[in-house]
Amino acid sequence: MAAIIEVYDLHKVLNKKKVLDGLSLSIQRGETFVLIGQSGVGKSVLLKHLIGLMRPDKGEIFIDGIQLDYDKPEIMSSLRSRFGMLFQGGALFDSLTVGENILFALEHLRPEMDQNEKLERMRRSLELVELPGIEDLMIASLSGGMMKRVALARAIVAEPEIVLFDEPTTGLDPITTATINDLIVDLKKKLAMTFVVVTHDIKSALFIGDRIGMLYRGQLLFEGTPEELKKTNNPYVKQFVEGRSQGPITEEYQKQLQTMKTLAQSGGEVWKNK
Ligand SMILES: Nc1ncnc2c1ncn2[C@@H]1O[C@H](COP(=O)(O)OP(=O)(O)OP(=O)(O)O)[C@@H](O)[C@H]1O
Ligand SMILES: [Mg+2]
């Protein structure tokens, strides 16, 4: 298998914090790669780098062998058009209908396409997410699970090569979560696409992932299959996988907190710079 996404030595500082600190990653064409990690660890930031919405301080990203070149808008927009994205929170337009939301993506990504074909693609994408015929409903009238499905339809409607999913099941009940996970696996079988899914739900990660990567302190701490993840002896990864409040991740966090408190008490820079 050939890599469709290659990332080398990515660095990004945000709010004086090293969010990405020398991260390297390779995602194979046609696989579902799941990125896990605690809240605030930089999962969404990494996705935004892959699609070119954020520019790294240092490092290189290649999509299908073509390097992201931030000073060349034509290269950036042609690379972006190879992606579909499901944003964290859905990012649907409440004041538009389901159909208008999906058409919006097509108008943006495939402006040259003829109107009838756009309508046809929009209807087909709703069939793929098992919501046929709901194009005239208003977004505000949908349940959380339906909204995620519509966001999914919008992400795949332009038939992108790579789909990035940022937390496709967060905020959903366990049954709806399971049906969305089934749908992701099913879509993967039907469509020849590469999926990159961000989640902090370990159960979902194990179910949908061909490979899983865990982000910690700006790097990929672990990379492997669901089986390898379950068997890992890395204490940091184990704490996350087992969802324990006690362990090395918590200990490190408490040390950082202590350092900040000490600095604050001594009139240090940390709070002044906030
Ligand atoms: N545009 C931005 N400007 C400044 N800081 C940012 C920006 N986006 C993210 N950050 C910071 O970068 C860090 C990582 O954020 P990110 O949203 O990637 O976390 P995450 O892993 O996706 O968390 P969650 O699981 O809660 O969504 C956080 O400290 C966040 O405050
Ligand atoms: Mg996020």
Side-chain angles (χ1 to χ4, degrees):
M1 269 202 295
I4 191 160
I5 299 176
E6 283 168 291
V7 175
Y8 299 107
D9 195 28
L10 214 57
H11 291 256
K12 182 72 175 177
V13 173
L14 286 164
N15 280 336
K16 302 196 171 113
K17 185 179 152 194
K18 280 185 188 172
V19 178
L20 302 177
D21 190 15
L23 181 137
S24 296
L25 167 69
S26 170
I27 297 177
Q28 307 303 305
R29 184 184 294 277
E31 76 173 338
T32 298
F33 187 89
V34 181
L35 192 64
I36 58 171
Q38 272 178 293
S39 198
V41 83
K43 303 181 298 298
S44 297
V45 164
L46 177 56
L47 282 195
K48 285 176 193 158
H49 277 86
L50 299 183
I51 198 174
L53 291 175
M54 271 191 176
R55 184 177 183 155
D57 299 331
K58 189 181 160 213
E60 290 158 5
I61 299 175
F62 295 83
I63 305 301
D64 204 11
I66 302 167
Q67 185 170 3
L68 292 196
D69 186 339
Y70 303 87
D71 299 319
K72 299 219 172 89
E74 352 47 277
I75 292 187
M76 294 306 278
S77 68
S78 101
L79 285 178
R80 270 190 209 124
S81 70
R82 300 171 75 163
F83 284 89
M85 177 142 186
L86 187 149
F87 286 93
Q88 190 165 6
L92 297 167
F93 300 107
D94 280 352
S95 57
L96 300 182
T97 64
V98 166
E100 286 164 345
N101 264 278
I102 298 173
L103 286 170
F104 182 85
L106 272 184
E107 267 141 32
H108 184 65
L109 292 166
R110 304 282 182 262
E112 72 297 341
M113 192 183 278
D114 133 316
Q115 192 59 20
N116 281 336
E117 194 181 348
K118 281 185 189 150
L119 287 168
E120 186 49 45
R121 290 262 196 116
M122 179 269 285
R123 292 191 189 108
R124 166 118 182 90
S125 73
L126 282 171
E127 282 165 18
L128 280 167
V129 299
E130 294 160 4
L131 289 176
I134 70 149
E135 57 267 28
D136 293 331
L137 293 183
M138 296 303 293
I139 292 296
S141 69
L142 306 180
S143 70
M146 285 169 93
M147 281 192 209
K148 294 279 190 190
R149 282 174 192 259
V150 172
L152 206 58
R154 190 174 65 176
I156 59 170
V157 69
E159 296 183 355
E161 287 163 73
I162 308 164
V163 189
L164 308 180
F165 302 80
D166 198 350
E167 305 281 4
T169 58
T170 300
L172 302 178
D173 67 79
I175 296 172
T176 311
T177 294
T179 60
I180 296 282
N181 285 338
D182 282 342
L183 181 62
I184 291 175
V185 171
D186 188 47
L187 284 176
K188 184 65 202 333
K189 282 186 200 143
K190 284 186 187 150
L191 311 165
M193 294 176 183
T194 305
F195 285 177
V196 184
V197 184
V198 160
T199 183
H200 44 235
D201 178 25
I202 194 72
K203 221 173 133 186
S204 298
L206 292 170
F207 183 72
I208 61 179
D210 294 316
R211 277 190 319 128
I212 300 173
M214 178 168 158
L215 191 57
Y216 185 68
R217 299 188 77 168
Q219 297 190 359
L220 272 199
L221 181 63
F222 168 90
E223 213 181 326
T225 62
E227 280 314 306
E228 286 163 347
L229 181 68
K230 281 191 243 171
K231 283 193 225 140
T232 181
N233 282 321
N234 182 313
Y236 292 84
V237 184
K238 268 181 104 158
Q239 184 187 354
F240 187 84
V241 172
E242 291 165 9
R244 283 184 282 108
S245 63
Q246 297 303 313
I249 295 180
T250 319
E251 281 158 27
E252 249 177 52
Y253 175 71
Q254 278 162 352
K255 265 189 222 154
Q256 279 169 13
L257 214 60
Q258 194 53 46
T259 314
M260 289 179 91
K261 277 186 195 158
T262 315
L263 265 169
Q265 278 157 8
S266 62
E269 290 287 284
V270 175
W271 306 113
K272 279 194 204 158
N273 289 339
K274 272 231 135 183

